Amino acid sequence: MAALYSNENFPLPAVVELRLLGHDVLTIQETGRADRALPDEAVLAFAAEQQRILLTLNRRHFIRLHNAGKPHAGIIACTFDPDFVALARRIHTALAQESDMRQKLVRVNRG
């Protein structure tokens, strides 16, 4: 399963469900880096250093960083869905379709 890193705006219930699906998810809160107003570049760089795919609802900024060629282990940019279980399952399905996420951007939209 995938090693993931969720930024501050990513919903914790979806993280819990992803863990139940077998993914190794580290949250920004667990790293002690939350509530520091870190720039998106720093969040992406930390995920890359940890070789973790970034999970975010902040699509616009991270898509821009991806398009600028910033190195990363992968970015999953999601639209908000209050059905956190469904969101986690769509992410799980998207990950299952990718053999290697390095330098890839995957969009997971609400159905």
Side-chain angles (χ1 to χ4, degrees):
M1 293 295 163
L4 307 167
Y5 181 60
S6 68
N7 73 347
E8 280 187 273
N9 67 358
F10 198 80
L12 186 57
V15 167
V16 171
E17 185 65 23
L18 284 164
R19 288 175 175 163
L20 291 173
L21 291 168
H23 297 283
D24 174 11
V25 187
L26 178 66
T27 68
I28 195 169
Q29 292 83 1
E30 292 167 334
T31 66
R33 300 167 73 85
D35 300 321
R36 291 189 183 178
L38 293 172
D40 293 334
E41 278 193 25
V43 173
L44 188 60
F46 180 80
E49 289 168 12
Q50 300 296 310
Q51 298 180 357
R52 291 179 175 272
I53 300 162
L54 181 73
L55 292 171
T56 188
L57 298 178
N58 187 357
R59 298 180 320 271
R60 183 173 18 129
H61 295 142
F62 286 99
I63 290 170
R64 187 176 318 135
L65 291 173
H66 169 75
N67 290 339
K70 299 294 180 185
H72 59 82
I75 299 171
I76 299 178
C78 305
T79 55
F80 181 77
D81 185 347
D83 184 346
F84 302 123
V85 170
L87 173 61
R89 289 186 179 156
R90 283 195 306 278
I91 292 166
H92 177 74
T93 299
L95 286 167
Q97 295 172 358
E98 298 291 336
S99 60
D100 184 3
M101 280 290 296
R102 285 177 291 187
Q103 290 306 119
K104 288 186 182 175
L105 169 71
V106 173
R107 298 172 198 235
V108 175
N109 298 316
R110 192 165 108 187

